[in-house]
Amino acid sequence: MGTVTRSPNGRKPSEIMRLIVTTFIGVVFGFFLGVSFPTLSLTKFNLPSGLLPSIDLSYIEERYTGRRAWSFINNSNRRALPNRLSNDTSKIWVPSNPRGAESLPPGIVEAESDFYLRRLWGKPSEDLTFKPKYLVTFTVGYEMKKNIDAAVKKFSENFTILLFHYDGRANEWDEFEWSKKAIHVSARKQTKWWYAKRFLHPDIVAPYDYIFIWDEDLGVEHFNAEEYLKLVKKHGLEISQPGLEPNKGLTWQMTKRRGDKEVHKVTEEKPGWCSDPHLPPCAAFVEIMAPVFSREAWRCVWHMIQNDLVHGWGLDFAVRRCVEPAHEKIGVVDAQWIVHQGVPTLGNQGKTETGKAPWQGVRERCRKEWTMFQSRLGNAEHAYFKSGGGIDMFNSTGH
């Protein structure tokens, strides 16, 4: 029996048409696959770790023009990329780096930060046309908005404005134009020293020459921040405060404004209050309502703030330990003075217990914290000297 063969010319028209359509679809699919392949995200590929050191992957994206390019550069092009990544990072150990960053090459370590606002677009190097030199913080409630508005206007563009909101109403300040450029941090029913411990770490505020940590109830009619700092620098003050209006509920003679001076550093108190004329409250003393710290002094003071003693009572007697000689570098600026209005807004954030008003419970805790802080400081010093620490004043060769 002969073999039956089918001639190509014998195909049915429907089969020929199916072949043509299939071929056309394959060509079109292949074309679009080739065009779209460069846009696939290679960052999602799981490449073998052994392959990564052998290539450099440069991704250049011009997101507003829609153009994207990938370039793969082999080891033969090492000379074009001198800053290649090493595959053996275990050889890096730098004890002088900040704690926890010892395995990083020093050139990549960013140990400090700031409060400067950045853009979401453009070149990072062009973000900041101006960098404020000083920082001022206020711990605020919305009810004191007019007072804070008046206070903020006493600070020039040289100041970064940082508001700590203890009432949770951080989004209601945009009626003030300056508020749109300010930094807002909100945590309900907290004090300024709670905020300071958590948000004013010395490595965060390092760009600022001076840090103002102020209450919200201060009258500033007779105050100008730039002029204040001129006097601070002139008289070499590392820790300072403006003089207080003498007729408004003063506690200490040291912080009382004197009309015949630019700055004063010592005073006379009630008999028996000062064991040494160079010690608080007769010298080396400012109150905690409106202190101003140099960058160097704040680095020490921040470490002395206790994590749980949030009212800060007792700090004013202890900050002298952060500058030397304290009776010369701590003072009150009389020529730029303020009024302490004594509005108990934060005290009213307390809780009524055992029939006491909210502010009474707050005040009781303030006093307890003062006692606790003094006890902790005394115990810490005692333990230090007992362990053999301290400077040997007789054998020291320092001058």
Side-chain angles (χ1 to χ4, degrees):
M1 181 180 291
T3 301
V4 179
T5 61
R6 177 179 293 181
S7 169
N9 295 329
R11 293 180 176 178
K12 295 181 179 180
S14 59
E15 293 178 346
I16 296 175
M17 181 59 67
R18 188 182 301 115
L19 180 62
I20 293 173
V21 171
T22 302
T23 302
F24 177 78
I25 292 175
V27 171
V28 172
F29 179 78
F31 173 79
F32 282 104
L33 181 62
V35 171
S36 62
F37 177 76
T39 67
L40 296 178
S41 176
L42 295 186
T43 59
K44 296 181 180 180
F45 290 178
N46 293 320
L47 299 178
S49 59
L51 177 63
L52 292 177
S54 66
I55 62 172
D56 282 331
L57 185 60
S58 299
Y59 180 42
I60 306 169
E61 178 179 6
E62 299 178 20
R63 68 187 309 165
Y64 296 111
T65 63
R67 293 179 296 167
R68 300 178 179 181
W70 289 95
S71 62
F72 293 84
I73 305 170
N74 202 283
N75 282 340
S76 60
N77 292 329
R78 284 177 181 271
R79 288 177 295 178
L81 292 174
N83 298 322
R84 297 179 58 82
L85 293 176
S86 170
N87 191 38
D88 187 4
T89 58
S90 63
K91 294 181 179 179
I92 298 177
W93 186 259
V94 188
S96 60
N97 278 358
R99 186 176 64 178
E102 294 88 352
S103 62
L104 298 178
I108 197 62
V109 172
E110 286 283 348
E112 299 175 348
S113 188
D114 54 63
F115 287 114
Y116 300 142
L117 299 178
R118 297 284 181 169
R119 303 177 301 176
L120 301 179
W121 64 94
K123 297 179 180 179
S125 60
E126 298 175 355
D127 283 350
L128 305 176
T129 58
F130 176 76
K131 294 182 179 180
K133 297 169 58 179
Y134 316 115
L135 173 69
V136 57
T137 76
F138 294 95
T139 303
V140 303
Y142 188 68
E143 292 180 0
M144 296 294 289
K145 64 176 182 176
K146 292 183 178 179
N147 207 58
I148 293 299
D149 179 48
V152 167
K153 290 176 180 177
K154 295 291 184 173
F155 294 86
S156 70
E157 292 184 352
N158 267 329
F159 288 82
T160 294
I161 307 298
L162 172 56
L163 298 189
F164 296 131
H165 300 269
Y166 61 75
D167 62 353
R169 301 176 67 178
N171 296 326
E172 301 181 40
W173 291 73
D174 278 355
E175 63 187 273
F176 305 114
E177 193 62 29
W178 55 261
S179 175
K180 299 174 184 178
K181 299 179 181 180
I183 309 296
H184 297 264
V185 177
S186 179
R188 291 179 181 273
K189 299 182 183 295
Q190 300 304 314
T191 73
K192 72 175 180 181
W193 299 110
W194 182 93
Y195 286 111
K197 189 63 175 178
R198 287 150 183 83
F199 298 100
L200 299 182
H201 188 280
D203 290 342
I204 296 295
V205 301
Y208 303 105
D209 294 341
Y210 293 92
I211 300 99
F212 291 60
I213 305 180
W214 280 22
D215 289 354
E216 61 183 340
D217 59 341
L218 303 176
V220 293
E221 181 180 355
H222 305 282
F223 179 82
N224 178 285
E226 292 282 359
E227 295 300 318
Y228 178 89
L229 287 179
K230 287 180 182 179
L231 294 173
V232 164
K233 296 172 185 177
K234 176 182 176 181
H235 293 272
L237 300 180
E238 296 291 322
I239 301 176
S240 63
Q241 75 162 77
L244 294 175
E245 163 60 46
N247 299 319
K248 293 290 183 178
L250 289 169
T251 304
W252 308 105
Q253 288 295 318
M254 178 63 185
T255 54
K256 181 178 179 180
R257 178 179 70 92
R258 300 181 184 177
D260 59 342
K261 291 182 177 291
E262 286 186 337
V263 166
H264 73 269
K265 302 178 182 180
V266 297
T267 192
E268 292 184 3
E269 265 291 355
K270 297 177 182 179
W273 279 33
C274 298
S275 59
D276 186 314
H278 288 167
L279 293 179
C282 288
F285 176 76
V286 296
E287 295 189 65
I288 59 173
M289 71 180 70
V292 180
F293 303 94
S294 70
R295 180 196 300 111
E296 293 75 16
W298 177 247
R299 181 166 291 277
C300 171
V301 172
W302 183 89
H303 284 279
M304 188 165 54
I305 298 172
Q306 304 294 285
N307 206 52
D308 58 332
L309 305 184
V310 296
H311 289 289
W313 278 36
L315 279 175
D316 37 15
F317 280 79
V319 294
R320 64 183 178 84
R321 302 166 191 273
C322 289
V323 294
E324 180 65 33
H327 65 278
E328 294 182 4
K329 294 188 177 182
I330 298 179
V332 174
V333 179
D334 300 288
Q336 295 292 322
W337 50 283
I338 59 176
V339 176
H340 184 212
Q341 298 166 340
V343 181
T345 49
L346 183 59
N348 291 337
Q349 295 286 312
K351 183 179 179 180
T352 301
E353 290 181 337
T354 63
K356 297 179 181 177
W359 68 267
Q360 289 178 304
V362 171
R363 182 55 60 94
E364 286 182 4
R365 172 157 176 162
C366 288
R367 294 193 179 100
K368 289 178 182 177
E369 287 196 4
W370 190 353
T371 301
M372 293 171 69
F373 179 74
Q374 293 299 112
S375 177
R376 289 182 188 181
L377 187 57
N379 290 340
E381 288 186 341
H382 177 73
Y384 174 72
F385 289 117
K386 185 177 180 180
S387 68
I391 300 174
D392 189 336
M393 300 301 294
F394 296 99
N395 297 323
S396 175
T397 57
H399 297 282

